[in-house]
């Protein structure tokens, strides 16, 4: 019996983990190569040939470095017990009000990302219909499509997938989503190369968009700040790093597997990001749209553009689940602890499903998760601002979750002496990233405010 129990349960008494650095890499690539890649050509168009690629590389280095620090902080420094979520890691290493601040930053960001993915997936669905229209009727026809129906379709799919009980059972979905992300990134690269080497050359410059020609000085300033926020958002996966690490088996040590997965994930992502951003800018120039696949910098071959958008949709369907599973777990754990005797919350009778085997049905899970998905879809209909939302989410989450908490937990865990050389440069990095995040948030808010001047609730149009 003891052997059977050890095979079923992990070192902390919970369900036994079977994850490896390969599955963790898939989760990371699914989380990172998301809708952020679609705005990188626009970001480089604002920053130019020098600052744009440098910003991409710098953010990747910072993300990799702080993620390796965070991977070492996923066990309690005293008891050695696993931390199953980011808040637990902060509570174990820093304690006090840090735990509440982390929870607020993390879960607001996770909710924001799921809203952003709902917007992006609907735009991609609409782009398929628009692409076919442009092919049939010509590029001068507006072919405008309302996005709300597509958001509802996306929501129905997510309601079904949200019934997957936990993160440990998402590996197959992440693997599919990771393949899709490679697919549409590769198509974007191919289209960019084809346009850059043939036909009319797009106008580019070392400093990006030109004041007085493409933008006003005011627009140039705020767009550059927003571009930094878009780049920060593109690398965001710290919000789910601890949850991903919690899926790894303990042998080899999960922090070593996570560091390997982080190196692979961030390296692959950076190569794709620099390639997509730079080649997209080379192809489309200073007039690069905010979303280089759905903004119709490319029109033909229309079937290839349709395929890329199908890949985006499938990828975001999976990525949505990666980011909302921590929310589901946190709410459900709190409800279980608050109402331990509630049959509505606790009961989950097994049901045999054809092709899927035994499934633990929970009425509470169905009601709560369905309600959450509906809420994100409604908010997406209210806030259909692609670039502004991405930039703001990136700015709001980058500093606290990617930089501040990993570094402060590392300082506490390693007992680094105050005002030592290592302490000074780590805190300088924290301060520098705070300034960058504030400027990026300001630029994104300025864009959203501008978009609000022509905004009509529940009337999002592509």
């Amino acid at each position: 019996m003891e052997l059977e129990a050890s095979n079923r349960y992990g070192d902390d008494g919970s369900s036994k983990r079977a994850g490896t650095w390969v599955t963790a890499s898939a989760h990371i690539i699914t989380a990172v190569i998301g809708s952020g890649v679609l705005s990188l050509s626009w970001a480089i168009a604002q920053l130019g040939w020098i600052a744009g690629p440098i910003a991409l590389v710098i953010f990747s280095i910072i993300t990799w470095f702080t993620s390796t620090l965070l991977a070492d902080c996923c066990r309690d420094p005293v008891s050695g017990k696993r931390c199953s979520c980011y808040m637990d890691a902060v509570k174990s290493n820093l304690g006090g009000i840090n735990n509440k601040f982390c929870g607020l930053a993390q879960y607001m960001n996770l909710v924001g990302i799921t809203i952003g993915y709902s917007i992006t997936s609907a735009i991609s669905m609409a782009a398929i219909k628009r692409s076919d229209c442009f092919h049939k009727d010509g590029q001068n026809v507006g072919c405008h499509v309302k996005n709300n129906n597509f958001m509802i379709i996306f929501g129905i799919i997510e309601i079904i997938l949200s019934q997957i009980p936990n993160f440990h059972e998402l590996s197959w979905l992440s693997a599919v989503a990771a393949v899709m992300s490679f697919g549409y990134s590769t198509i974007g690269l191919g289209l960019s190369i084809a346009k850059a080497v043939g036909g009319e050359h797009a106008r580019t410059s070392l400093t990006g968009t030109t004041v007085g020609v493409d933008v006003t000085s005011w627009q140039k300033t705020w767009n550059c700040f927003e571009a930094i926020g878009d780049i920060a958002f593109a690398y965001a996966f710290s919000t789910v790093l601890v949850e991903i690490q919690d899926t790894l088996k303990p042998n080899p040590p999960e922090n070593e597997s996570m560091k390997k997965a982080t190196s692979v994930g961030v390296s692959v992502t950076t190569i794709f990001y620099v390639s997509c951003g730079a080649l997209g800018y080379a192809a489309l120039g200073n007039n690069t749209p905010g979303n280089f696949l759905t903004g119709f910098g490319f029109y033909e071959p229309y079937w290839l553009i349709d395929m890329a958008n199908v890949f985006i949709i499938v990828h975001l369907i999976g990525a949505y689940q990666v980011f909302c599973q921590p929310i589901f777990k946190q709410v459900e754990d709190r409800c279980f602890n608050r109402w331990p005797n509630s049959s509505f919350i606790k009961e989950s009778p097994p049901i045999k499903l054809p092709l899927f085997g035994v499934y633990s049905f929970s009425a509470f899970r169905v009601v709560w998760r369905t309600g959450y998905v509906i809420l994100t879809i409604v908010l997406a209909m209210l806030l259909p601002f692609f670039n502004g939302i991405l930039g703001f989410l990136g700015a709001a989450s980058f500093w606290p979750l990617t930089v501040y908490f990993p570094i402060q937990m590392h300082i506490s865990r390693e007992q680094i002496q105050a005002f030592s050389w290592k302490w000074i440069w780590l805190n300088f990095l924290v301060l520098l990233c705070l300034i960058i995040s504030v400027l990026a948030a300001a630029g994104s808010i300025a864009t959203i405010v501008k978009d609000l001047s022509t905004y009509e609730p529940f009337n999002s149009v592509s």
Side-chain angles (χ1 to χ4, degrees):
M1 285 293 285
E2 290 182 5
L3 180 60
E4 182 182 350
S6 67
N7 288 332
R8 290 175 53 198
Y9 298 100
D11 55 347
D12 58 353
S14 61
S15 298
K16 195 171 184 69
R17 284 87 166 178
T20 65
W21 70 268
V22 176
T23 61
S25 297
H27 283 314
I28 291 171
I29 292 170
T30 300
V32 179
I33 304 182
S35 57
V37 70
L38 304 173
S39 65
L40 293 182
S41 296
W42 179 87
I44 291 183
Q46 312 314 307
L47 298 171
W49 280 120
I50 298 176
I54 289 175
L56 282 169
V57 173
I58 288 175
F59 273 88
S60 74
I61 293 172
I62 292 173
T63 301
W64 169 81
F65 172 67
T66 57
S67 295
T68 58
L69 298 184
L70 182 56
D72 285 331
C73 299
C74 293
R75 282 188 179 268
D76 187 282
V78 177
S79 67
K81 182 180 177 182
R82 279 190 191 237
C83 300
S84 61
C85 66
Y86 204 139
M87 285 179 66
D88 287 349
V90 173
K91 184 177 181 180
S92 296
N93 289 278
L94 297 177
I97 198 171
N98 289 287
N99 179 45
K100 292 182 173 58
F101 176 43
C102 171
L104 179 65
Q106 181 185 11
Y107 290 100
M108 282 183 64
N109 181 253
L110 289 172
V111 172
I113 289 173
T114 54
I115 293 170
Y117 282 2
S118 301
I119 296 169
T120 311
S121 63
I123 291 173
S124 289
M125 291 180 191
I128 294 173
K129 191 169 183 178
R130 293 187 71 198
S131 175
D132 295 344
C133 174
F134 285 132
H135 176 73
K136 181 180 178 181
D137 300 328
Q139 299 175 13
N140 295 324
V141 180
C143 293
H144 294 297
V145 179
K146 289 191 175 182
N147 295 329
N148 288 354
N149 290 339
F150 298 113
M151 289 187 192
I152 292 170
I153 293 170
F154 180 79
I156 292 171
I157 296 170
E158 293 301 345
I159 286 172
I160 296 170
L161 289 176
S162 68
Q163 302 312 311
I164 295 173
N166 55 55
F167 223 134
H168 304 279
E169 299 178 42
L170 280 179
S171 294
W172 66 271
L173 189 59
S174 284
V176 171
V179 171
M180 294 297 104
S181 67
F182 283 121
Y184 68 74
S185 298
T186 302
I187 290 172
L189 279 172
L191 291 170
S192 297
I193 292 171
K195 189 162 185 174
V197 300
E200 183 180 349
H201 292 286
R203 181 170 52 85
T204 64
S205 73
L206 293 179
T207 56
T209 51
T210 305
V211 174
V213 178
D214 304 302
V215 291
T216 65
S217 58
W218 182 88
Q219 289 173 325
K220 176 70 175 179
T221 300
W222 293 118
N223 284 355
C224 286
F225 292 157
E226 183 187 344
I228 293 172
D230 284 354
I231 293 172
F233 175 84
Y235 282 105
F237 80 98
S238 298
T239 46
V240 291
L241 184 147
V242 180
E243 286 79 1
I244 292 173
Q245 185 162 326
D246 190 43
T247 68
L248 298 175
K249 53 188 179 183
N251 189 24
E254 65 275 4
N255 63 327
E256 294 180 10
S257 298
M258 194 65 200
K259 288 179 181 179
K260 186 175 183 180
T262 297
S263 297
V264 172
V266 174
S267 298
V268 170
T269 299
T270 303
I271 292 170
F272 266 88
Y273 279 5
V274 174
S275 301
C276 285
L279 287 170
Y281 178 46
L284 303 173
N286 290 347
N287 294 321
T288 301
N291 183 326
F292 87 131
L293 280 176
T294 64
F296 289 95
F298 310 104
Y299 290 90
E300 296 290 345
Y302 79 100
W303 59 268
L304 190 60
I305 296 167
D306 287 353
M307 185 184 295
N309 280 295
V310 169
F311 288 168
I312 292 171
I313 294 162
V314 175
H315 173 255
L316 293 183
I317 286 171
Y320 182 102
Q321 289 300 315
V322 169
F323 282 101
C324 69
Q325 281 291 336
I327 302 172
F328 294 159
K329 184 179 187 302
Q330 185 67 215
V331 171
E332 288 159 15
D333 286 350
R334 285 180 176 271
C335 288
F336 291 157
N337 293 331
R338 180 75 181 271
W339 297 286
N341 299 319
S342 170
S343 58
F344 174 69
I345 294 175
K346 285 286 187 180
E347 287 186 0
S348 54
I351 297 176
K352 286 187 177 180
L353 296 176
L355 303 177
F356 292 98
V358 178
Y359 172 76
S360 297
F361 174 81
S362 168
F364 170 64
R365 184 168 64 226
V366 170
V367 172
W368 139 242
R369 295 190 180 189
T370 299
Y372 175 81
V373 174
I374 292 172
L375 175 63
T376 60
I377 297 302
V378 171
L379 291 175
M381 292 177 181
L382 281 169
L383 301 168
F385 312 124
F386 177 77
N387 272 67
I389 292 292
L390 293 194
F392 181 76
L393 290 174
S397 65
F398 176 72
W399 180 74
L401 300 174
T402 301
V403 180
Y404 176 77
F405 284 121
I407 287 178
Q408 295 306 319
M409 285 192 288
H410 176 72
I411 290 173
S412 173
R413 198 177 185 92
E414 298 299 318
Q415 299 181 343
I416 298 173
Q417 186 175 356
F419 301 106
S420 64
W421 168 244
K422 188 174 183 180
W423 185 93
I424 290 172
W425 80 259
L426 284 173
N427 280 284
F428 174 77
L429 179 61
V430 170
L431 179 61
L432 178 64
C433 290
L434 174 61
I435 294 170
I436 291 171
S437 293
V438 170
L439 293 176
S444 300
I445 291 171
T447 297
I448 293 172
V449 170
K450 179 174 68 71
D451 290 341
L452 283 171
S453 62
T454 56
Y455 163 71
E456 293 181 26
F458 296 102
N459 193 30
S460 170
V461 177
S462 289

